[in-house]
Amino acid sequence: MPNVEKTPRQTVRVEKDLWDRAGQAVGARGRGAAIRDFLRWLTHETDELPARPDAPAA
């Protein structure tokens, strides 16, 4: 089948402010990777807790 992604899309509900702040912390396209890394840790696929990005400048 053409245009079938290797990983299906998942939908989560997240407050807009939290989503925006996450995008600022890891970059708009880095949120998915950050979520996947956390889920791998959460499900014991890895023992390494994902690193937290540096705090944005105040």
Side-chain angles (χ1 to χ4, degrees), residues 3-34:
N3 298 322
V4 175
E5 295 182 25
K6 293 180 184 179
T7 56
R9 290 184 179 264
Q10 306 301 327
T11 302
V12 297
R13 292 181 182 264
V14 179
E15 295 85 354
K16 182 173 178 6
D17 181 58
L18 177 58
W19 189 254
D20 292 343
R21 287 184 287 134
Q24 290 172 353
V26 297
R29 299 187 58 90
R31 286 181 286 225

Side-chain angles (χ1 to χ4, degrees), residues 15-47:
E15 295 85 354
K16 182 173 178 6
D17 181 58
L18 177 58
W19 189 254
D20 292 343
R21 287 184 287 134
Q24 290 172 353
V26 297
R29 299 187 58 90
R31 286 181 286 225
I35 292 167
R36 285 189 298 277
D37 289 346
F38 179 75
L39 291 173
R40 287 185 181 103
W41 171 82
L42 183 69
T43 60
H44 300 271
E45 187 175 315
T46 181
D47 290 330

